[in-house]
Amino acid sequence: MTKMAKLKITELSEDKPVKVTVELPASVHRDLVAYAEILAAQSGQSISEPNKLIPLMLARFMATDRAFARSRKLRKEANG
């Protein structure tokens, strides 16, 4: 059996959602479904709605974007 790499998204949290509508390219949707399948296999969680991964992925992306963090910090300092 091939060892699978650990995914960046590890858990689904329940939080009060804000509804946003977005259109994804078909290739991105296929990748999202594949990601959900791999995550389900690794975590043992059933992921019936891959779309629920999108907020986690966005949050992870923003949390690891250094330029965003710097800009956000500078913005906060400028606004007091």
Side-chain angles (χ1 to χ4, degrees):
M1 182 173 178
T2 304
K3 183 177 178 184
M4 294 172 60
K6 183 139 173 103
L7 299 177
K8 290 185 177 186
I9 305 298
T10 57
E11 62 185 49
L12 297 175
S13 64
E14 294 296 323
D15 198 3
K16 185 172 180 169
V18 175
K19 183 136 182 135
V20 175
T21 302
V22 63
E23 290 186 26
L24 300 175
S27 62
V28 173
H29 185 261
R30 285 190 297 271
D31 287 345
L32 182 64
V33 170
Y35 195 102
E37 290 169 354
I38 294 166
L39 180 59
Q42 282 188 2
S43 68
Q45 289 181 297
S46 173
I47 301 173
S48 58
E49 296 181 51
N51 296 347
K52 289 189 174 190
L53 297 176
I54 295 170
L56 300 170
M57 291 174 163
L58 286 172
R60 177 75 175 166
F61 173 82
M62 289 185 287
T64 59
D65 186 320
R66 291 181 182 168
F68 174 67
R70 271 192 308 273
S71 295
R72 192 172 193 188
K73 181 180 177 186
L74 291 172
R75 192 173 183 189
K76 277 185 179 180
E77 290 171 358
N79 292 330

